Amino acid sequence: MGKETGFLELDRHDRTYGPVDERLTNYKEFVIPLAPDALRAQASRCMNCGIPHCHTGCPVNNIIPDWNHLVYEDDYRNALEVLHSTNNFPEFTGRICPAPCEAACTLNITDQPVTIKSIECAIVDKGWQEGWITPRIPRKRSGKSVAVVGSGPAGLACAQQLARAGHSVTVFEKNDRVGGLMRYGIPDFKMEKHLINRRAAQMEAEGVVFKTSIEVGVSVSVNSLKENYDAVVFAGGAEEARRLDIPGSELPGVRPAMEFLTQQNKRNAGDDEMRAAPRGTLTATGKHVIVIGGGDTGSDCVGTSNRQSALSVTQLEIMPRPPVHEDKAMSWPNWPLKLRTSSSHEEGCERDWAVLTKRVIGDNDVKGLECVRVEWKEGRMHEVPGSEFTLQADLILLAMGFTGPRKAGLLDQAGVELDPRGNVKADTEKYQTSDEQIFSCGDMRRGQSLVVWAIREGRQCARAVDELLMGASELPR
């Protein structure tokens, strides 16, 4: 694939970022795409591996060498067809996926993986620019109907696949706009929301009906869906945030990361403060901010806090600082444990590892955070004697992950069986729950995960539903 000697002749060269001082003044995307000639050169580096581990490194099993070669030949239209054959929304993954495919690339053995994510994004962006992406309306209708609960990446992928199979699909979303976590959890500077709107318009043209501001299990019963639809798919998120159980965590200045991020995304969408912040305005402006949690959500809080002109931002992680470089012999082609520095970190942030929080200081307002350093020995955490310290804080944002889907409302009413982790129990063959009419996919089934995994599960769940309704399915897995 590509140019046979491309990987020997050319080094990896990826997209760049706009200047920090400019991007901190707004919430627009700031990634600068590669020029067409540079992109073609990077595609030429794909080295025709005997076993292309990027296929299995990618959760949707993108056929990466094929579309790399087509980009090298300047055949973007066929590259787009290959890309869409496995991924309904490559403009989402081309922006917010951490690219496990690149970690699995053979050239990553020498830290020079093919720029797969950038090439993917360029293919789909060109497809939209050229007008190649149009609704795919089924030639015939099945007469069957499906209700999809949740409009995140799993729900959208499942709904689009089922609509293309000829079923009547209705998507129920409790929020006022579709997109789920991508809409309200991912900051606009990572992915602007017109991308979601564009796909939703395509899906509506394909026959998908979106019903927003309707929470199943509250304003509409699960039984009513079962009575009115042939199958029901639960494709909600893992929304139950992990809590901080220390003294002082009940103070009003200790807030969930998702509340903070959602408010800003709603402001960016044009909502007034009453709609954006029904529980009261939450901003980092003029505050010393501490973000507890070292993952992507924490990084998003850092970038948003900087754009809101925080006085300082500190991000804490309870685990030890990862190595700068992974041990390739131990990890490749699997996803490695290594230090990752995001664009938000580069914009300004203090980071600290192996820190345990002990107490929030303050009366009515947060004033600080007491912490202690920890050591990890044989998988167990031990506080380091005499290592206590205190950080100044006005706002503490909790970005410590999620424990599973919310039980109140939908799941309590449905009564479906849960797995030991509290997720909806369903396997990855049939995606059926303990109620044979109800299916589940995405984070509600697998727990907190990546957008690309949600898309995969949505596609596979759609095939399982199609098989149940029709006895067989031509949808891909």
Side-chain angles (χ1 to χ4, degrees):
M1 297 296 169
K3 184 180 180 182
E4 289 185 357
T5 56
F7 71 97
L8 296 171
E9 299 170 9
L10 297 166
D11 290 332
R12 174 184 168 94
H13 177 62
D14 208 352
R15 296 175 288 187
T16 55
Y17 298 147
V20 171
D21 57 347
E22 290 183 13
R23 67 196 201 219
L24 285 180
T25 64
N26 59 72
Y27 290 87
K28 300 293 184 182
E29 291 182 14
F30 52 82
V31 175
I32 301 173
L34 292 173
D37 287 348
L39 195 77
R40 182 173 179 269
Q42 289 302 303
S44 78
R45 298 181 64 246
C46 193
M47 61 185 296
N48 197 15
C49 300
I51 300 175
H53 292 283
C54 58
H55 281 189
T56 50
C58 172
V60 294
N61 303 130
N62 275 332
I63 312 170
I64 295 163
D66 290 33
W67 44 257
N68 276 336
H69 183 68
L70 289 165
V71 168
Y72 172 59
E73 293 188 328
D74 203 28
D75 187 356
Y76 279 83
R77 185 143 197 178
N78 278 320
L80 181 66
E81 288 296 316
V82 175
L83 180 54
H84 269 149
S85 71
T86 56
N87 187 351
N88 294 66
F89 314 119
E91 65 270 41
F92 302 163
T93 53
R95 287 170 167 82
I96 59 177
C97 181
C101 54
E102 293 188 14
C105 177
T106 302
L107 286 172
N108 190 40
I109 295 174
T110 57
D111 291 317
Q112 288 279 310
V114 175
T115 55
I116 299 168
K117 179 177 173 179
S118 295
I119 296 169
E120 173 186 38
C121 198
I123 293 168
V124 69
D125 284 354
K126 186 174 180 65
W128 283 109
Q129 292 163 10
E130 297 293 333
W132 297 335
I133 301 175
T134 57
R136 290 173 49 186
I137 300 170
R139 287 173 290 182
K140 60 180 181 179
R141 296 291 178 180
S142 67
K144 303 291 185 178
S145 61
V146 183
V148 176
V149 182
S151 68
L156 291 178
C158 185
Q160 186 167 60
Q161 292 295 94
L162 287 168
R164 290 175 174 179
H167 306 306
S168 297
V169 182
T170 302
V171 177
F172 292 85
E173 170 56 54
K174 69 176 183 292
N175 291 309
D176 57 349
R177 300 177 180 92
V178 302
L181 181 70
M182 296 187 300
R183 170 76 66 178
Y184 290 123
I186 302 295
D188 286 11
F189 57 79
K190 288 176 67 174
M191 191 181 82
E192 294 179 17
K193 303 309 179 274
H194 68 86
L195 302 170
I196 302 173
N197 300 341
R198 188 170 59 184
R199 279 294 181 183
Q202 180 199 33
M203 292 174 63
E204 286 178 324
E206 293 171 344
V208 176
V209 175
F210 291 102
K211 293 190 176 183
T212 56
S213 301
I214 297 178
E215 184 170 359
V216 178
V218 178
S219 51
V220 173
S221 71
V222 174
N223 280 338
S224 71
L225 295 192
K226 293 176 64 177
E227 290 169 1
N228 289 285
Y229 295 89
D230 296 300
V232 179
V233 177
F234 288 176
E239 297 178 287
E240 197 67 53
R242 184 171 282 109
R243 299 182 180 183
L244 182 66
D245 188 18
I246 61 173
S249 62
E250 73 285 351
L251 290 174
V254 182
R255 306 289 277 274
M258 276 302 134
E259 182 183 7
F260 176 68
L261 297 173
T262 295
Q263 283 194 14
Q264 188 56 55
N265 280 2
K266 288 190 172 186
R267 294 186 194 102
N268 294 345
D271 288 356
D272 60 30
E273 204 61 19
M274 185 69 72
R275 292 184 64 191
R279 292 184 59 220
T281 297
L282 175 59
T283 69
T285 306
K287 296 176 181 176
H288 296 283
V289 179
I290 295 178
V291 179
I292 302 178
D296 288 341
T297 300
S299 169
D300 294 342
C301 289
V302 170
T304 302
S305 296
N306 283 328
R307 282 161 179 76
Q308 293 180 355
S309 300
L311 291 178
S312 68
V313 185
T314 303
Q315 186 177 20
L316 304 179
E317 169 58 50
I318 197 170
M319 299 301 293
R321 176 174 175 145
V324 175
H325 299 288
E326 72 269 33
D327 184 344
K328 301 289 185 183
M330 293 293 292
S331 64
W332 182 86
N334 297 316
W335 184 248
L337 175 65
K338 60 184 289 188
L339 180 64
R340 304 178 194 279
T341 299
S342 72
S343 59
S344 291
H345 294 140
E346 293 169 351
E347 293 165 359
C349 174
E350 293 294 326
R351 304 169 73 186
D352 205 350
W353 288 265
V355 173
L356 176 67
T357 57
K358 298 290 288 184
R359 183 172 74 95
V360 178
I361 302 171
D363 296 322
N364 296 321
D365 299 317
V366 170
K367 300 297 183 184
L369 182 65
E370 289 184 0
C371 308
V372 65
R373 301 204 175 274
V374 296
E375 291 180 338
W376 289 85
K377 297 178 181 178
E378 298 179 349
R380 297 177 65 87
M381 182 180 68
H382 304 273
E383 295 185 17
V384 177
S387 68
E388 298 83 1
F389 64 98
T390 300
L391 294 171
Q392 183 179 0
D394 304 302
L395 175 63
I396 298 173
L397 298 173
L398 308 181
M400 304 178 297
F402 302 87
T403 59
R406 288 191 306 162
K407 308 304 185 295
L410 177 70
L411 296 185
D412 283 347
Q413 195 174 104
V416 294
E417 187 178 351
L418 305 180
D419 68 18
R421 296 190 301 152
N423 303 316
V424 176
K425 186 175 181 179
D427 63 34
T428 54
E429 288 297 322
K430 294 185 177 181
Y431 285 91
Q432 268 179 318
T433 69
S434 55
D435 184 324
E436 293 185 355
Q437 194 180 350
I438 299 176
F439 296 73
S440 186
C441 60
D443 287 7
M444 184 168 276
R445 190 207 69 82
R446 67 180 288 116
Q448 176 187 351
S449 191
L450 303 176
V451 166
V452 67
W453 272 111
I455 293 172
R456 173 195 174 103
E457 293 215 352
R459 288 170 60 89
Q460 290 187 331
C461 183
R463 179 182 171 90
V465 173
D466 191 35
E467 284 181 332
L468 175 76
L469 297 179
M470 307 304 292
S473 178
E474 295 182 358
L475 290 174
R477 278 186 61 83

